Amino acid sequence: MIGNTIFEFRKQKGITLSELAKRAKISKSYLSNIERNLNRNPSIEVVKRIAAVLDMELDTFLSPKKTNDVQHGFDQDLIDFAAELKETGIEKDQIKEYQTVFEFIKWKNQHSRGEQN
């Protein structure tokens, strides 16, 4: 998502949220909403200004390339896992329903490590 991309590039450049907002001539709260994906559809004009401040070409900014191990700060294993979940028909909003299963796996892993020590 574009918000994640903005966040990652901003962090890589060492620019604060306030500084980017000021230099791009947008409000800090608006930029924060974009980065947190609360506003998923900022205008192209806003995106252009943000890209200019981050010293990036617009096309590069809108479709960043994958790196070998990490895409936008996410571990490739997590990206692959999310793709597998999607293939099984589990949607993002359904993940919360599986919280108990995840907690059990975490508990089981902690207890099995305790037995090995």
Side-chain angles (χ1 to χ4, degrees):
M1 300 190 129
I2 194 163
N4 297 340
T5 304
I6 292 169
F7 175 81
E8 289 299 320
F9 284 117
R10 178 176 65 77
K11 288 296 187 180
Q12 287 174 12
K13 298 279 186 174
I15 299 173
T16 66
L17 183 79
S18 298
E19 183 181 357
L20 178 57
K22 183 178 179 178
R23 291 171 57 191
K25 296 182 172 77
I26 60 176
S27 76
K28 182 178 171 182
S29 62
Y30 183 59
L31 178 58
S32 176
N33 285 342
I34 294 170
E35 283 193 357
R36 293 181 296 138
N37 296 308
L38 298 176
N39 181 338
R40 296 176 186 212
N41 195 18
S43 72
I44 193 69
E45 185 58 38
V46 167
V47 175
K48 282 180 184 178
R49 289 188 299 206
I50 293 170
V53 171
L54 295 174
D55 195 31
M56 302 179 69
E57 296 293 325
L58 188 59
D59 59 339
T60 303
F61 187 72
L62 293 175
S63 56
K65 294 177 175 61
K66 276 188 174 183
T67 61
N68 291 336
D69 299 326
V70 178
Q71 179 184 12
H72 306 300
F74 293 107
D75 184 292
Q76 187 62 43
D77 289 339
L78 290 175
I79 294 170
D80 294 341
F81 178 66
E84 287 177 31
L85 286 175
K86 190 163 182 103
E87 286 175 14
T88 64
I90 298 173
E91 296 296 325
K92 187 167 72 171
D93 58 339
Q94 295 174 301
I95 296 294
K96 197 76 168 155
E97 296 174 27
Y98 295 91
Q99 184 72 30
T100 305
V101 174
F102 299 139
E103 289 172 7
F104 173 75
I105 292 169
K106 180 180 175 183
W107 175 86
K108 184 179 169 197
N109 288 340
Q110 289 172 340
H111 282 77
S112 66
R113 277 189 231 123
E115 292 173 6
Q116 293 174 1
N117 293 331

